């Protein structure tokens, strides 16, 4: 059941699936399964997030060499039906047969018989047509419900969209946060036109200096303080803000610390007023020309 009090993004219907509403904030898992934090904390974090309504969980065969998928599998044991589960295939595993085998390995680690969404992690050398055929086979076999892509810029997405079944691509997952707005020039408007939701990765700028600069920025602090929220909540509420009256972005912050999970879920109910948005625009302007796709 969708909780209509929280903002959601609609995945359009496909030839095989009905339209589906997803909460606009989900959970990432990169760096889980690498012993950077105790495994039980990672498992609990994902379960806590689920309980707070962050039901989309994003993982990949790449993360911890499958270790993150195992953490997710443990978190979802006995509650698989509560999650919308997304995983990703390496570009070099996205061939006619290799994609089937990669997906089966992911399913085994995740302890489930299907993914809700399977993404091509980034564009590679295997022809897209072949990857689409493999995704369609996986769908027919019931192993995935939908497919999508990640790290596709506007030209790549247009090429994909023009292929047979390419218009069934459910999402494109790309880097997007207040300090990296390049996609707003071409990619985001294109996706808006195609009615394709965007999944925003690194919505909190992950780590390092850029993140410190953003979180500590006087304008970010001023706007966050004015709204009584944290800088992280401001960044998340900003990433999922509706544009031209439509909400089209699902942010997928990764968090292990319980207070982070709680803040991230709390960001779902933050309303950014026009004055706050304008203040952020002044300091972090939208692009006025095409920029290369930001990738981590
Ligand atoms: P994020 O921008 O989500 O940042 C994660 C960091 O933010 C962690 O250190 C986390 O700490 C911290 N954090 C989380 N919530 C808060 C909060 N409320 N306040 C302060 N700090 C907070 O970076 P990611 O790189 O993890 O991106 C998110 C997800 O996107 C990934 O986990 C992955 O699933 C996906 N991704 C996809 C890519 C692709 O190519 N398709 C590339 C990169 C990411 P802690 O864990 O200690 O709580």
């Amino acid at each position: 059941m969708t909780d209509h009090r929280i903002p959601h993004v609609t995945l359009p219907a496909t030839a095989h699936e009905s339209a589906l509403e997803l909460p606009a904030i989900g959970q990432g898992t990169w760096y889980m399964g690498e012993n950077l934090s105790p495994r039980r904390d990672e498992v609990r974090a994902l379960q806590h997030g689920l309980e707070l309504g962050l039901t989309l969980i994003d993982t990949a065969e790449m993360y911890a060499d499958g270790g993150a998928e195992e953490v997710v599998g443990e978190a979802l044991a006995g509650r698989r039906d509560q999650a919308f589960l997304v995983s990703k295939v390496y570009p070099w595993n996205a061939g006619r047969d290799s994609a089937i085998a990669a997906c089966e390995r992911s399913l085994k680690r995740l302890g489930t018989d299907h993914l809700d969404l399977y993404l091509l992690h980034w564009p590679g050398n295997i022809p897209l047509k072949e990857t689409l055929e493999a995704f369609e086979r996986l769908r027919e076999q019931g192993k995935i419900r939908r497919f999508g892509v990640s790290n596709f810029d506007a030209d790549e997405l247009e090429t994909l969209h023009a292929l047979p079944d390419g218009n069934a691509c459910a999402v494109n997952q790309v880097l997007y946060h207040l300090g990296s707005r390049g996609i707003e020039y071409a990619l985001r408007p294109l996706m808006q036109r195609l009615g394709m939701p965007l999944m925003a990765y690194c919505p909190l700028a992950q780590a390092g200096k850029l993140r410190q600069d953003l979180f500590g920025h006087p304008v970010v602090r001023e706007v966050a303080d004015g709204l009584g929220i944290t800088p992280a909540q401001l960044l998340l509420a900003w990433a999922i803000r509706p544009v031209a009256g439509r909400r089209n972005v699902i942010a997928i912050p990764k968090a292990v610390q319980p207070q982070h999970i709680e803040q991230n879920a709390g960001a779902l109910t933050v309303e950014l007023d026009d004055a706050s948005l304008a203040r952020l625009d002044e300091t972090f302007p939208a692009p006025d020309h095409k920029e290369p796709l930001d990738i981590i």
Side-chain angles (χ1 to χ4, degrees):
M1 281 283 284
T2 304
D3 183 343
H4 287 279
R5 288 164 305 180
I6 61 175
H8 57 264
V9 169
T10 304
L11 276 188
T14 67
H16 309 282
E17 295 291 326
S18 323
L20 190 63
E21 291 181 346
L22 295 170
I25 298 178
Q27 305 188 72
T29 62
W30 196 13
Y31 290 114
M32 289 191 182
E34 295 194 0
N35 297 319
L36 295 175
S37 36
R39 186 188 180 88
R40 67 171 184 285
D41 291 358
E42 296 174 349
V43 168
R44 279 198 201 130
L46 292 170
Q47 293 174 338
H48 192 35
L50 272 182
E51 286 152 11
L52 296 177
L54 308 180
T55 51
L56 183 153
I57 297 182
D58 176 80
T59 190
E61 62 172 337
M62 179 183 120
Y63 304 159
D65 269 337
E69 289 181 327
E70 287 171 0
V71 171
V72 175
E74 206 175 316
L76 293 185
R79 54 182 103 188
R80 168 68 185 89
D81 57 337
Q82 293 174 21
F84 183 91
L85 183 53
V86 186
S87 193
K88 314 186 199 75
V89 60
Y90 275 126
W92 50 87
N93 280 346
R96 192 163 287 112
D97 297 319
S98 56
I100 313 292
C103 183
E104 285 170 352
R105 288 193 297 271
S106 286
L107 291 175
K108 190 149 182 251
R109 289 188 290 259
L110 287 159
T112 183
D113 61 357
H114 75 280
L115 295 170
D116 297 292
L117 181 60
Y118 199 32
L119 308 182
L120 173 60
H121 207 145
W122 61 88
N125 295 327
I126 292 176
L128 275 176
K129 186 171 170 296
E130 188 178 327
T131 301
L132 289 184
E133 284 167 17
F135 283 157
E136 176 56 16
R137 234 170 94 210
L138 284 167
R139 193 202 58 74
E140 282 167 8
Q141 294 171 352
K143 292 174 183 152
I144 68 172
R145 299 272 194 262
R146 287 177 163 87
F147 79 87
V149 293
S150 177
N151 297 303
F152 271 49
D153 206 345
D155 52 341
E156 293 160 324
L157 203 60
E158 278 179 320
T159 304
L160 170 77
H161 210 255
L163 291 174
D165 293 331
N167 62 359
C169 176
V171 304
N172 182 20
Q173 182 181 119
V174 290
L175 190 153
Y176 186 48
H177 58 70
L178 185 62
S180 179
R181 300 184 63 171
I183 60 163
E184 288 181 34
Y185 189 76
L187 181 61
R188 189 167 180 187
L190 170 68
M191 293 181 63
Q192 198 103 353
R193 274 201 304 285
L194 296 176
M196 185 190 295
L198 188 149
M199 287 177 72
Y201 76 68
C202 297
L204 300 173
Q206 196 180 58
K209 183 161 180 333
L210 174 59
R211 176 202 173 87
Q212 282 171 14
D213 289 351
L214 264 181
F215 274 49
H217 195 287
V219 171
V220 169
R221 299 209 80 94
E222 171 201 308
V223 175
D225 286 351
L227 295 167
I229 58 176
T230 67
Q233 289 180 310
L234 178 64
L235 260 66
L236 292 177
W238 179 87
I240 65 167
R241 75 204 183 284
V243 167
R246 229 168 356 131
R247 205 181 282 279
N248 202 32
V249 175
I250 303 169
I252 47 166
K254 172 260 179 187
V256 174
Q257 298 179 51
Q259 73 273 24
H260 286 168
I261 301 276
E262 283 153 22
Q263 282 179 20
N264 298 350
L268 278 167
T269 50
V270 171
E271 298 268 353
L272 293 185
D273 54 87
D274 291 346
S276 300
L277 288 170
R279 185 90 177 97
L280 294 171
D281 276 340
E282 271 166 31
T283 315
F284 304 94
D288 59 4
H289 61 277
K290 173 88 180 80
E291 294 176 8
L293 186 64
D294 206 354
I295 287 176
I296 196 162

